[in-house]
């Protein structure tokens, strides 16, 4: 088992290095794009981008029935059978295309209603008509990326992701400069089209498989069953986020939506790149052993330990450089959201642990339980975010973020322990407490002696500790 875990650590760290590099490139491109949006469009433009993105994600997740995620599980499980894999792949592609076309038509027809829901009037109806094509591009591109991920084709997946990010930012520069707020819709469309094109370019050679619609339905019933539960769960999560964004827009201001989105993006996207990088190989690997408690249990514990050890120095660095990060990514005007970023950083550790546990629910195909956990998460999110923002502003949002993921960790661990009868390995509770303590100490020193002295005091021991542990595990 020690040799297996050493091999797994090496594999995880390799995936982390490959997709960590991809995420860094993506972040650099996002930095340029977001900086330009903040400078040339201002908080209102950033807020518009946030509202459009949130709404389109919600519609995409709902209409696609989450088959890009649920198909990964089945495709990874049948990887050893080439014929079965080819048939299932063809069925996934066919169904995803049909759902993408249906979603595009539906959004074009319902665009006035969607505009009223998100902006309070129908002034953005034509924008939603144009953005309906976004749903088709994302359906096709996302499916191809899911197929690459399930088949362990990580290098082509990485290349497709890099080309998409670079094309997105190169096209955004002239569009933002010449058209300002009018560029929001074209920028979103170009990015989605780029993902679609590059995912098709780097996809594996297609095996010709003739399938009737009846055969597609038969092959996809299992995928759709889990996908339906995942769709309900994800839609509830996205709906909760959308409700908060709309509430913020109507109750406070559109600019505050931009400030909130900036803070949330920094925590979730830029620190969360660690999660994205590891998840590329973690979920397919976990899905392959989803029927065996004995094999899943050590994998989950191992993944939590790797994630936490990697995150400890990252969070220290992130807290100390948070003000600089906000200025680089956005502009000094966005430092309003800095308390959200600072206080929310501690929640990243709980998010990492709960994220690893939540994937066990998907790997076991337990759709009903996944709905229950995600609905619980959405309710906790709204129950914390709205009152905490009203009471304490952006500082309250940061504290709410920590409490939200601490509660979500408790929920997912209860499922892991009592529904599946699995236990986390010894040392994880202590490691999680250590990680939170390091984050808390860094935040306290940040306020007491400033960011640069805190960086000098906290980063060397955190990095040394993390490197030593990971090196020994490998």
């Amino acid at each position: 088992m020690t040799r297996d875990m050493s091999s797994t650590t090496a594999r995880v760290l390799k995936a982390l290095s490959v997709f960590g590099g991809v995420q860094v490139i993506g972040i650099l491109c996002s930095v340029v794009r977001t900086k330009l949006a903040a400078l040339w469009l201002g908080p209102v433009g950033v807020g518009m981008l946030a509202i459009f993105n949130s709404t389109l994600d919600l519609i995409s997740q709902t209409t696609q029935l989450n088959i890009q995620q649920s198909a990964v599980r089945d495709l990874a499980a049948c990887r050893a059978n080439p014929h079965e894999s080819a048939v299932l792949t063809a069925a996934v592609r066919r169904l995803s295309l049909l759902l993408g076309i249906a979603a595009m038509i539906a959004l074009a027809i319902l665009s006035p209603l969607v505009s009223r829901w998100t902006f309070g009037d129908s002034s953005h109806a034509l924008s939603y008509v144009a953005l309906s094509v976004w749903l088709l591009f994302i359906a096709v591109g996302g499916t191809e990326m899911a197929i690459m991920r399930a088949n362990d084709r990580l290098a082509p997946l990485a290349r497709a992701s890099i080309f998409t990010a670079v094309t997105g930012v190169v096209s955004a520069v002239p569009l933002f400069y010449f058209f300002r707020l009018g560029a929001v819709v074209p920028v979103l469309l170009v990015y989605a089209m780029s993902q679609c094109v590059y995912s098709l370019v780097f996809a594996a050679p297609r095996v010709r498989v003739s399938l009737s619609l009846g055969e597609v339905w038969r092959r996809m019933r299992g995928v759709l069953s889990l996908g339906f539960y995942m769709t309900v769960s994800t839609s509830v999560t996205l709906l909760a986020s959308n409700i908060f964004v709309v509430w913020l827009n109507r109750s406070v201001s559109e600019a505050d939506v931009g400030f909130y989105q900036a803070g949330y993006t920094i925590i979730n996207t830029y620190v969360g790149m660690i999660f994205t990088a590891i998840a590329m190989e973690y979920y397919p690997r976990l899905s392959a052993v989803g029927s065996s408690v004995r094999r899943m249990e050590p994998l989950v514990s191992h993944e939590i330990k790797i994630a936490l050890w990697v995150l400890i120095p990252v969070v220290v660095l992130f807290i100390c450089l948070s003000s600089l990060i906000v200025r680089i990514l956005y502009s000094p005007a966005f430092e309003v959201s800095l308390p959200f970023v600072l206080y929310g950083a501690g929640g990243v550790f709980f998010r990492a642990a709960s994220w690893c546990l939540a994937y066990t629910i998907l790997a076991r195909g337990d759709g009903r339980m996944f709905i229950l956990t995600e609905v619980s998460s959405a309710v906790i999110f709204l129950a914390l975010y709205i009152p905490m923002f009203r009471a304490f502003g952006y500082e309250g949002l940061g504290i709410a973020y920590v409490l939200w993921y601490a509660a979500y960790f408790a929920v997912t661990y209860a499922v892991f322990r009592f529904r599946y009868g699995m236990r986390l390995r010894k040392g994880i509770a202590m490691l999680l407490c250590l990680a939170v303590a390091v984050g808390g100490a860094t935040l306290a020193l940040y306020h007491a002696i400033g960011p640069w002295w805190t960086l000098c005091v906290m980063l060397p021991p955190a990095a040394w500790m993390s490197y030593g542990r990971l090196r020994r595990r490998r």
Side-chain angles (χ1 to χ4, degrees):
M1 182 62 72
T2 301
R3 187 182 298 120
D4 289 344
M5 287 297 98
S6 296
S7 173
T8 302
T9 302
R11 181 175 174 176
V12 172
L13 293 178
K14 181 180 178 181
L16 182 59
S17 64
V18 171
F19 280 94
V22 172
Q23 293 294 308
V24 167
I25 294 172
I27 284 174
L28 291 175
C29 292
S30 180
V31 166
V32 175
R33 187 171 61 249
T34 306
K35 183 73 172 180
L36 295 179
L39 290 175
W40 290 340
L41 277 63
V44 172
V46 175
M48 282 181 63
L49 278 169
I51 292 169
F52 279 133
N53 268 318
S54 174
T55 306
L56 290 171
D57 282 342
L58 175 61
I59 296 171
S60 177
Q61 294 289 348
T62 303
T63 56
Q64 277 287 299
L65 297 176
N66 231 310
I67 60 175
Q68 284 126 355
Q69 277 284 358
S70 59
V72 169
R73 174 178 175 269
D74 290 63
L75 288 169
C78 70
R79 211 160 51 192
N81 187 332
H83 175 71
E84 183 65 23
S85 178
V87 172
L88 184 57
T89 299
V92 169
R93 282 174 172 149
R94 179 81 60 84
L95 184 60
S96 179
L97 178 62
L98 291 174
L99 291 174
I101 293 171
M104 178 181 67
I105 295 171
L107 179 58
I109 294 171
L110 299 174
S111 57
L113 295 177
V114 177
S115 179
R116 288 192 193 99
W117 159 251
T118 52
F119 289 96
D121 55 46
S122 58
S123 61
H124 292 82
L126 288 178
S127 296
Y128 278 116
V129 171
L131 287 169
S132 63
V133 187
W134 185 96
L135 296 169
L136 180 60
F137 288 145
I138 291 297
V140 175
T143 298
E144 292 301 327
M145 289 188 163
I147 292 168
M148 284 188 272
R149 180 182 172 193
N151 289 285
D152 205 26
R153 301 188 71 248
L154 300 184
L157 179 57
R159 286 195 288 272
S161 301
I162 290 171
F163 278 99
T164 298
V166 172
T167 302
V169 73
V170 168
S171 62
V173 174
L175 287 171
F176 280 150
Y177 182 78
F178 288 108
F179 301 103
R180 303 301 163 112
L181 287 176
V184 170
V185 171
V187 164
L188 291 172
L189 286 175
V190 170
Y191 184 87
M193 184 174 65
S194 301
Q195 185 190 81
C196 179
V197 170
Y198 291 125
S199 64
L200 290 171
V201 168
F202 291 106
R206 297 189 177 219
V207 178
R208 286 189 172 275
V209 177
S210 179
L211 290 175
S212 65
L213 287 177
E215 181 70 7
V216 170
W217 168 252
R218 188 179 71 82
R219 293 280 180 177
M220 294 296 292
R221 273 187 302 184
V223 173
L224 284 172
S225 177
L226 178 59
F228 171 75
Y229 291 121
M230 291 176 68
T231 298
V232 174
S233 305
T234 308
S235 297
V236 168
T237 302
L238 289 173
L239 180 61
S241 176
N242 194 261
I243 287 171
F244 180 73
V245 167
V246 170
W247 173 82
L248 199 59
N249 183 41
R250 293 184 178 181
S251 301
V252 189
S253 72
E254 198 168 328
D256 276 283
V257 175
F259 296 141
Y260 161 72
Q261 190 62 35
Y264 189 81
T265 299
I266 289 171
I267 298 174
N268 262 38
T269 302
Y270 301 126
V271 178
M273 73 175 188
I274 304 295
F275 308 146
T276 304
I278 296 177
M280 287 299 171
E281 63 86 40
Y282 172 60
Y283 178 43
R285 177 162 47 89
L286 197 64
S287 297
V289 298
S291 59
S292 171
V293 170
R294 183 180 62 84
R295 297 179 68 185
M296 284 187 76
E297 194 177 71
L299 282 180
V300 176
S301 297
H302 174 268
E303 205 75 19
I304 292 175
K305 287 184 177 180
I306 294 295
L308 290 177
W309 280 120
V310 169
L311 280 170
I312 286 173
V314 170
V315 168
V316 170
L317 190 65
F318 177 75
I319 290 174
C320 294
L321 301 181
S322 55
S323 179
L324 184 63
I325 290 170
V326 171
R327 287 173 173 268
I328 291 175
L329 294 179
Y330 296 94
S331 71
F334 283 80
E335 286 198 333
V336 172
S337 63
L338 186 58
F340 178 23
V341 174
L342 283 171
Y343 284 88
V348 172
F349 299 118
F350 289 111
R351 184 183 172 209
S354 59
W355 166 85
C356 292
L357 292 169
Y359 267 115
T360 63
I361 305 173
L362 294 178
R364 292 181 68 85
D366 195 351
R368 290 185 178 87
M369 184 51 62
F370 191 67
I371 285 181
L372 182 60
T373 57
E374 295 308 298
V375 168
S376 300
S377 174
V379 170
I380 294 167
F381 167 82
L382 287 175
L384 288 169
Y385 266 55
I386 292 176
M388 289 294 281
F389 182 79
R390 279 176 167 166
F392 305 107
Y394 289 98
E395 199 171 277
L397 285 184
I399 297 169
Y401 186 88
V402 176
L403 296 175
W404 174 30
Y405 275 109
Y408 185 56
F409 171 72
V411 170
T412 52
Y413 179 71
V415 174
F416 183 78
R417 175 69 185 90
F418 299 110
R419 185 171 177 85
Y420 304 139
M422 292 187 279
R423 295 175 181 270
L424 292 176
R425 295 300 173 89
K426 289 181 179 179
I428 287 188
M430 289 297 296
L431 177 56
L432 184 56
C433 290
L434 172 66
V436 173
V438 169
T442 304
L443 182 60
L445 286 175
Y446 177 94
H447 289 299
I449 61 175
W452 299 111
W453 281 110
T454 303
L455 187 68
C456 295
V457 171
M458 294 299 297
L459 185 60
W464 174 81
M465 201 168 40
S466 176
Y467 173 76
R469 288 289 183 173
L470 291 173
R471 191 168 182 270
R472 281 198 292 274
R473 292 190 68 82
R474 182 168 181 176

